[in-house]
Amino acid sequence: MSNIIKLIQNFIKINANNGMMMMIAALAAIILANNEFTSEIYKSFLYKSVYINFSSVKINKPLLFWINDALMVLFFLLISLEVKRELIIGRLSHYEQAIFPLIGALGGIIVPGLIFFVFNHSKEIELNGWAIPTATDIAFTLGVVSILGSHVSKSLKIFLMTLAIIDDLVAIAIILFVYHSHIKFLPLIIAISVIILLLILNKRGVYNTSVYMLVGLILWIAILKSGVHATLAGVIIGLFIPIKEKNGYSPAKNLVCNLTGLVNWFILPLFAFANAGVSFHGISLRDMILPESLGIILGLLIGKPLGISLFCWLAVKVRLAIMPSGTSISDIIAIGILCGIGFTMSIFIASLAFDSEHQRLVTLSKLAIFTGSLFSAFIGYTILRIKSYVI
């Protein structure tokens, strides 16, 4: 039991520090994007062309692409490895432990999506952003919880961690099935062939991580060319890397150790820096009450806690699940409010939901994400803090 508690503490500490780094990077981006002397430098940095020519494969894309579609593959690979570990040997491997946060996560996805739909059902383009308020940023959320320290019970922290992991898994599925461009079948066939190769490597007991990463690179190129979002490659690779130990060595565990620092201290802060630089030029407070903005703000701030707490309450009432020990429905509501911190995943989905012809919608979405996330963080923190004093 002590090992589990230590693991939870380390996980929260890492994500808390990561959340702080991302906040600093995001604030720096906002300052640069809104300063008349640095805004053009910031934009030129992100859209500087980076050209790669490898044999017959030629990719000429701006730096922003390499951050969002290439480096973020490693972020999704890390998520995939963590989810796989939880499904096989972790908290999601037992029905009793998984069902309560699973039901809560589903509520936290369905209700925010419905709120966004209510505000934007008559707008074809804006409706593409329905999934933006359904996401939870695990780093920022656990960062707020870490500030509260012992004021939040361990069972509540476990519930939050498990819910956030499930939330990320569903977000990946949404990206796969909803946000993709026109499918090209030849690259898709190649990608499927590479996936079969990964399956064979797994079944043959290949434990060399480098082999999986090399095959994964081919998979990334094939998926990129197929029209499906390239970050899916990271998810797929993670599913096939062996997790069980052989002679004291686990490729998945070793890769998680190697990737965690790179992802948390470089890739995610860089992603925040590249995507949070929203210019406020031409944006007024009136824009924050537009349907597309309110759908996101209220989806995060109200939809998340309402969906999570309502679904969890119903699950307990109909005896599908039991409440974690030492927690009450008011605790679940407070955690649900914190889950309204969307940031990373929400921004990522916003960049996929609207094309280059609708950059204003991307800007409004990001501002709405910031607003909803900040209010969720402040209110959730305040409620948990007050509850700890009352108790």
Side-chain angles (χ1 to χ4, degrees), residues 129-173:
W130 69 268
I132 296 172
T134 66
T136 295
D137 189 300
I138 190 170
F140 275 117
T141 305
L142 290 177
V144 174
V145 168
S146 72
I147 298 172
L148 290 161
S150 59
H151 294 293
V152 179
S153 67
K154 290 181 175 65
S155 59
L156 203 57
K157 290 176 182 177
I158 292 173
F159 167 74
L160 173 60
M161 287 168 57
T162 309
L163 187 147
I165 289 171
I166 295 170
D167 195 287
D168 279 345
L169 186 61
V170 176
I172 290 168

Side-chain angles (χ1 to χ4, degrees), residues 258-274:
N258 291 332
L259 283 178
T260 299
L262 177 65
V263 169
N264 286 344
W265 296 104
F266 176 69
I267 293 176
L268 285 179
L270 183 60
F271 173 83
F273 180 78

Side-chain angles (χ1 to χ4, degrees), residues 337-359:
I337 294 172
L338 284 183
C339 286
I341 305 174
F343 204 71
T344 305
M345 273 296 188
S346 292
I347 290 175
F348 193 84
I349 292 174
S351 67
L352 299 177
F354 308 113
D355 55 31
S356 58
E357 296 180 4
H358 301 93
Q359 279 303 306

Side-chain angles (χ1 to χ4, degrees), residues 148 150-152 383-391:
L148 290 161
S150 59
H151 294 293
V152 179
I383 291 175
L384 285 172
R385 192 76 181 183
I386 291 173
K387 277 179 61 63
S388 67
Y389 285 128
V390 171
I391 291 170

Side-chain angles (χ1 to χ4, degrees), residues 137-308:
D137 189 300
I138 190 170
F140 275 117
T141 305
L142 290 177
V144 174
V145 168
S146 72
I147 298 172
L148 290 161
S150 59
H151 294 293
V152 179
S153 67
K154 290 181 175 65
S155 59
L156 203 57
K157 290 176 182 177
I158 292 173
F159 167 74
L160 173 60
M161 287 168 57
T162 309
L163 187 147
I165 289 171
I166 295 170
D167 195 287
D168 279 345
L169 186 61
V170 176
I172 290 168
I174 290 172
I175 291 169
L176 169 60
F177 292 108
V178 178
Y179 299 112
H180 56 76
S181 55
H182 181 67
I183 301 296
K184 298 177 182 176
F185 286 100
L186 180 57
L188 188 61
I189 291 171
I190 295 173
I192 293 171
S193 302
V194 176
I195 293 171
I196 293 172
L197 175 58
L198 286 169
L199 176 62
I200 293 171
L201 291 172
N202 179 278
K203 294 299 182 182
R204 289 290 182 94
V206 175
Y207 266 50
N208 191 329
T209 307
S210 300
V211 174
Y212 288 96
M213 299 306 286
L214 179 60
V215 175
L217 177 61
I218 300 170
L219 177 64
W220 177 78
I221 295 171
I223 291 179
L224 174 66
K225 297 291 185 180
S226 72
V228 179
H229 201 271
T231 50
L232 175 64
V235 179
I236 295 172
I237 298 164
L239 295 177
F240 289 103
I241 294 176
I243 192 170
K244 294 182 179 179
E245 291 191 4
K246 185 166 70 176
N247 299 323
Y249 174 75
S250 165
K253 185 178 179 180
N254 182 65
L255 193 55
V256 167
C257 291
N258 291 332
L259 283 178
T260 299
L262 177 65
V263 169
N264 286 344
W265 296 104
F266 176 69
I267 293 176
L268 285 179
L270 183 60
F271 173 83
F273 180 78
N275 290 274
V278 179
S279 174
F280 299 136
H281 180 71
I283 301 294
S284 65
L285 288 176
R286 184 178 298 177
D287 292 317
M288 289 294 96
I289 59 173
L290 291 173
E292 50 267 39
S293 298
L294 283 177
I296 295 172
I297 295 171
L298 297 181
L300 290 171
L301 186 58
I302 296 176
K304 272 289 184 180
L306 178 61
I308 291 170

Side-chain angles (χ1 to χ4, degrees), residues 2 24 46 65 80 84 88 92-94 108 116 124 128 145 150 169 173-174 220 229 287 305 309 328 330 349 377 380:
S2 61
I24 293 170
L46 294 180
F65 163 85
S80 180
K84 182 177 180 179
I88 295 176
L92 300 181
S93 61
H94 303 289
F116 187 92
E124 183 179 356
N128 287 334
V145 168
S150 59
L169 186 61
I174 290 172
W220 177 78
H229 201 271
D287 292 317
S309 55
S328 64
S330 61
I349 292 174

